[in-house]
Amino acid sequence: MNEYLNEDDQLEALKRWWKENGKAVIGGAVLGLAVVGGWQWWQRHTTALAELASVNFDQFTNAAQLGNLEAARQQGERLLGEFGDSAYAVLAALELARIEYANGQADSAIGRLRWAMSHTDDPSLQQLTRLRLAQLLLDQGNVDGAAGLLDGATVAAYAGEFSLLRGDIARERGDLAAARDAYQQALSQGVANPGLLRMKLHEVGGAPAAG
């Protein structure tokens, strides 16, 4: 507003400005309050859903640990159906895949893992799911399918496990030199079961399977 306007001019200018812009100001204020209120509601809603998903996941894991597979399956299906966008659902899919594969349901287990891969953007969960799926495919004799999942191995925490998997694939293909290289790399990167890795390395002509 022009600072040289006298008091009457200023009042008249304010009236004109309000006439032209008042509705927009009120609308903006209402919208702002709605946005704030909506955001607070969304936060409460999201927190409540996360807590409910957590409770369901606890029930699922308890059933799985107790060997109550039917209850675990039902609880897992609920997690996948009602909380499919949560990390709990992805973790439940991973555990369901393990349970089903152990009970001879390989196709169902593969389906669970593919579902999990498509329902998470978390890099760590993506890599874990990719690793599990590749291991399962290799165990089923699908060497090319397992190898096709190696290119997405990008998370350092799983580097050793993916190197181990590369070694297993190379060994399956009869390329013992490549298997040795991959196993040695995996040993330097670190894996969950170094004893088993040393045995595999020894079996393909690498270092002795010591300690």
Side-chain angles (χ1 to χ4, degrees):
M1 187 179 296
N2 192 321
E3 60 181 317
Y4 297 108
L5 292 176
N6 61 36
E7 185 175 349
D8 290 338
D9 289 336
Q10 289 182 28
L11 182 60
E12 187 61 29
L14 281 170
K15 289 179 180 179
R16 287 198 306 271
W17 183 90
W18 181 254
K19 184 177 180 180
E20 294 170 1
N21 302 289
K23 290 183 179 180
V25 171
I26 293 174
V30 171
L31 179 61
L33 290 173
V35 168
V36 172
W39 174 246
Q40 291 174 342
W41 173 88
W42 177 250
Q43 285 183 311
R44 290 194 298 269
H45 177 67
T46 302
T47 300
L49 282 178
E51 291 174 352
L52 186 57
S54 176
V55 169
N56 278 269
F57 185 72
D58 286 342
Q59 293 172 348
F60 165 72
T61 54
N62 288 338
Q65 289 170 354
L66 291 172
N68 191 342
L69 302 185
E70 186 54 36
R73 185 175 289 108
Q74 291 177 1
Q75 202 67 39
E77 292 287 1
R78 183 181 180 189
L79 277 164
L80 269 61
E82 297 181 17
F83 308 99
D85 293 333
S86 71
Y88 294 112
V90 175
L91 293 172
L94 288 171
E95 180 62 13
L96 283 172
R98 186 194 66 78
I99 291 171
E100 290 172 345
Y101 192 63
N103 285 273
Q105 299 171 291
D107 289 343
S108 182
I110 290 171
R112 298 286 191 194
L113 294 173
R114 293 196 187 282
W115 182 94
M117 279 186 62
S118 66
H119 281 76
T120 181
D121 294 325
D122 180 85
S124 185
L125 282 178
Q126 271 278 351
Q127 295 302 285
L128 178 59
T129 305
R130 183 180 293 272
L131 178 65
R132 294 277 179 86
L133 180 57
Q135 290 169 333
L136 193 157
L137 290 174
L138 182 61
D139 195 46
Q140 287 289 292
N142 188 349
V143 180
D144 291 338
L149 293 167
L150 293 176
D151 290 340
T154 57
V155 176
Y158 296 105
E161 300 297 340
F162 273 102
S163 293
L164 171 56
L165 181 61
R166 286 189 181 90
D168 289 343
I169 291 171
R171 182 179 182 178
E172 191 68 23
R173 288 173 168 170
D175 190 346
L176 299 188
R180 282 195 299 272
D181 290 343
Y183 288 154
Q184 287 168 345
Q185 184 177 23
L187 201 57
S188 67
Q189 292 169 325
V191 295
N193 192 339
L196 178 60
L197 173 56
R198 289 191 183 96
M199 288 179 60
K200 290 186 174 185
L201 181 56
H202 176 65
E203 288 168 356
V204 295

